[in-house]
Amino acid sequence: MGDIPEILAVIPARSGSKGLKNKNIRPLGGHPLIYWAIKHALSSTSISRTLFSSDSLKYCELAKNFGAEAPFIRPDYLANDRAVDLDVLLHAVEWLKLNEGYQPTHIVRLQPTNPTFTGRLIDDCVSKFLANPTLDS
């Protein structure tokens, strides 16, 4: 890895939304909502890998079709109303470390429910973050 940051984008999308059923795969602009987060992560020049984390095989298959990696199904205990994003991110990083020996230097969490960010905005945020060593998140 050296001095070059290894930045992992994690896109969390559970299937069990109670407010709006299957919100993460509902269409927006002709594509499922998860498409936009994946598209923008892949268009970012700072993101090294784009990982999709879900409890749904259907969601994971869609994510793979859009170009994201989805190497696991998230455990049930990380896919309920009480699960917190930090635990979801830690699970993804630990899975990659144990199964691939991969360890990113930084993690970017991209929520599918906020499809308005772009690859350029991701790059701008990452650049500002990396330029300020006092920041931790």
Side-chain angles (χ1 to χ4, degrees):
M1 285 186 232
D3 294 330
I4 299 171
E6 186 66 27
I7 301 174
L8 174 69
V10 178
I11 301 168
R14 69 184 181 101
S15 63
S17 174
K18 291 180 181 171
L20 185 58
K21 189 168 175 63
N22 290 312
K23 71 180 175 195
N24 287 307
I25 60 168
R26 292 180 76 98
L28 177 71
H31 298 284
L33 199 54
I34 62 171
Y35 165 83
W36 299 106
I38 295 166
K39 175 187 185 239
H40 298 311
L42 293 174
S43 72
S44 164
T45 58
S46 357
I47 301 296
S48 306
R49 291 178 74 173
T50 300
L51 185 84
F52 187 79
S53 173
S54 181
D55 60 321
S56 166
L57 182 58
K58 177 181 178 179
Y59 284 23
C60 287
E61 290 303 317
L62 279 171
K64 288 178 191 177
N65 289 337
F66 299 138
E69 297 177 47
F72 56 79
I73 301 295
R74 189 187 321 163
D76 290 341
Y77 75 94
L78 292 175
N80 60 44
D81 290 341
R82 293 177 304 282
V84 294
D85 277 350
L86 178 59
D87 292 335
V88 171
L89 297 175
L90 290 172
H91 170 264
V93 170
E94 188 65 21
W95 191 96
L96 290 170
K97 181 180 177 183
L98 289 173
N99 290 277
E100 299 181 6
Y102 175 80
Q103 291 183 265
T105 57
H106 302 82
I107 303 165
V108 174
R109 180 197 61 159
L110 300 174
Q111 293 288 80
T113 51
N114 182 10
T116 59
F117 58 83
T118 63
R120 183 175 178 183
L121 181 60
I122 294 167
D123 291 339
D124 288 347
C125 291
V126 167
S127 178
K128 288 177 182 173
F129 177 80
L130 293 176
N132 189 341
T134 63
L135 297 177
D136 65 0
S137 63

